[in-house]
Amino acid sequence: MIIHLKETVNADQAAQLAEKTQAQHFRRNGQAILIISSSTKEVPDILQEYTDEYFVMVSDIQLASRTYQPATREVTINPGTTVGGNTNNTLMITGPCSIESWEQIVTCADMLKELGITTLRAGCFKPRTSPYSFQGLGMEGLKMLAQIREEYGFKIITEVRDATHIEAVIEYADIVQVGAKAMYDQGILRTCGEAQKPVLLKRHFGATLQEFVQAAEFVLSGGNEQVMLCERGIRTFETKTRFTLDLCGVSYLKEHINLPVILDTSHAMGYAYGVPDLTRACVAMGVDGLLIETHPNPSEAKSDAAQQLNLNEFRELYQSVQSIAQAVGRTVI
Ligand code: PEP
Ligand code: MN
């Protein structure tokens, strides 16, 4: 149950009421919002006199539900890029899996600039499956990305792997990416809930849609309502492709969930050859954003070599999605 308290209830009172009712709470525009387990179907007696409005919810998908807030939430990425809300924007996020060198990232950045794309991705703290693989450039990479932002005016998205560097990622990035493996890390989710930065939350490859959106609830209920969901493929019995992109799940999210949905075709497919077709299919579905890995020389990439598009392949794909986006009333930004 979500309860909007009267605006006369101050922060201390709201905190006390939340504690007494075992609720999560945060403030939105001077109003306290309490969220109690969805098994509660009536406003607790103690809250009656303070309640302005309440919403009975069928499951613990609460703040993210269109039952609560029907319109897709607007997420604003500094400086001035918006997805969701009344926009029909499809945000193009592209760049290498990992930042590997200054030269590599500048080559990618030059291509983005040439195409008019303004959101650059690159991982610095990589959540690798093996401890013996390249783990990312860490802080050195983060500083290079900050330098790129300075020089190109791009928005930067990079991922947080664990608690050791979460504050640094929040400080440096314009969008904080919580990777698939970190989706279940409640320390990361709660810290993101307190951050003033948009969060791109990836679906764990073993998570149901319910679990995925409930992970987003950890961020939302902390007071950070700038959350985007990212479908990046789930694990199925199929082994010919890296994962299985759950487009049925995307339809579910579009219908029932009020958060913008970003599609990562690179990690789902795992092989560059399939990424353009899959991406075009996603654009035709009318999604809020795309995440595509690009690398100046994919075969030499230090992570995810098989799935990254080279820059010419990406240019071609980028041209081809424009008319598809237009046909479904969207603009790729
Ligand atoms: C990535 O974006 O490079 C990445 C590691 O993705 P995921 O968390 O989806 O595996
Ligand atoms: Mn990757």
Side-chain angles (χ1 to χ4, degrees):
M1 172 179 277
I2 302 170
I3 301 173
H4 293 187
L5 298 184
K6 290 181 177 158
E7 298 213 350
T8 48
V9 179
N10 67 32
D12 287 347
Q13 273 178 306
Q16 282 170 18
L17 291 168
E19 201 183 328
K20 285 185 183 146
T21 52
Q22 294 180 336
Q24 300 296 308
H25 82 291
F26 67 95
R27 280 185 99 71
R28 182 198 292 142
N29 305 329
Q31 181 172 46
I33 315 286
L34 264 59
I35 311 101
I36 309 181
S37 163
S38 57
S39 58
T40 304
K41 302 296 183 194
E42 282 172 15
V43 176
D45 286 346
I46 188 181
L47 296 180
Q48 293 279 354
E49 65 181 293
Y50 304 106
T51 298
D52 179 25
E53 204 180 353
Y54 66 94
F55 306 81
V56 177
M57 305 302 294
V58 293
S59 85
D60 275 347
I61 292 180
Q62 300 208 53
L63 296 165
S65 170
R66 290 204 194 270
T67 310
Y68 169 58
Q69 186 175 307
T72 304
R73 289 167 183 269
E74 190 173 287
V75 173
T76 301
I77 304 139
N78 281 333
T81 299
T82 305
V83 295
N86 290 328
T87 77
N88 280 316
N89 291 337
T90 296
L91 179 68
M92 177 60 83
I93 300 170
T94 193
C97 179
S98 302
I99 178 168
E100 298 167 3
S101 67
W102 178 248
E103 190 194 1
Q104 174 231 27
I105 204 66
V106 164
T107 308
C108 291
D110 284 342
M111 180 193 67
L112 266 71
K113 188 174 165 194
E114 160 203 325
L115 298 176
I117 298 170
T118 58
T119 310
L120 174 73
R121 67 146 282 144
C124 303
F125 300 93
K126 296 305 297 179
R128 304 306 300 280
T129 305
S130 166
Y132 312 119
S133 307
F134 175 66
Q135 304 291 303
L137 295 183
M139 277 309 297
E140 187 193 345
L142 217 44
K143 287 180 183 158
M144 282 191 222
L145 291 180
Q147 183 74 27
I148 289 284
R149 173 179 40 219
E150 193 79 3
E151 291 185 15
Y152 290 80
F154 291 162
K155 274 74 62 178
I156 300 293
I157 169 166
T158 193
E159 68 198 285
V160 51
R161 180 182 60 212
D162 58 53
T164 59
H165 52 262
I166 184 163
E167 303 295 348
V169 170
I170 290 170
E171 184 189 334
Y172 282 78
D174 298 297
I175 304 171
V176 178
Q177 177 175 323
V178 178
K181 291 169 186 158
M183 189 209 90
Y184 283 117
D185 187 323
Q186 298 181 359
I188 289 176
L189 297 175
R190 287 188 192 280
T191 306
C192 286
E194 288 161 16
Q196 309 291 319
K197 290 273 168 82
V199 172
L200 181 133
L201 176 64
K202 286 189 156 201
R203 181 182 185 180
H204 188 277
F205 44 76
T208 63
L209 292 163
Q210 179 81 25
E211 290 164 338
F212 180 29
V213 184
Q214 283 182 182
E217 293 278 336
F218 276 89
V219 183
L220 297 167
S221 63
N224 184 354
E225 300 194 84
Q226 301 272 294
V227 179
M228 296 173 276
L229 297 177
C230 179
E231 163 62 31
R232 46 77 74 208
I234 53 173
R235 182 154 286 161
T236 65
F237 54 79
E238 188 52 71
T239 56
K240 296 291 188 207
T241 58
R242 190 177 183 193
F243 294 99
T244 298
L245 189 64
D246 184 9
L247 296 186
C248 296
V250 171
S251 279
Y252 164 85
L253 295 172
K254 286 181 63 179
E255 181 72 12
H256 296 286
I257 304 301
N258 62 31
L259 304 174
V261 179
I262 311 295
L263 268 290
D264 171 355
T265 49
S266 298
H267 291 86
M269 184 67 205
Y271 301 97
Y273 75 84
V275 171
D277 276 353
L278 268 182
T279 304
R280 286 186 282 265
C282 293
V283 173
M285 282 187 80
V287 297
D288 300 292
L290 302 159
L291 188 157
I292 298 164
E293 287 189 341
T294 45
H295 192 287
N297 187 1
S299 61
E300 299 291 314
K302 293 186 176 172
S303 59
D304 288 346
Q307 70 195 31
Q308 303 200 56
L309 299 185
N310 70 37
L311 304 188
N312 278 335
E313 288 167 335
F314 179 79
R315 283 184 182 97
E316 237 171 72
L317 168 61
Y318 188 66
Q319 295 310 329
S320 76
V321 298
Q322 305 299 332
S323 55
I324 301 171
Q326 204 181 0
V328 296
R330 293 202 159 249
T331 309
V332 182
I333 60 162

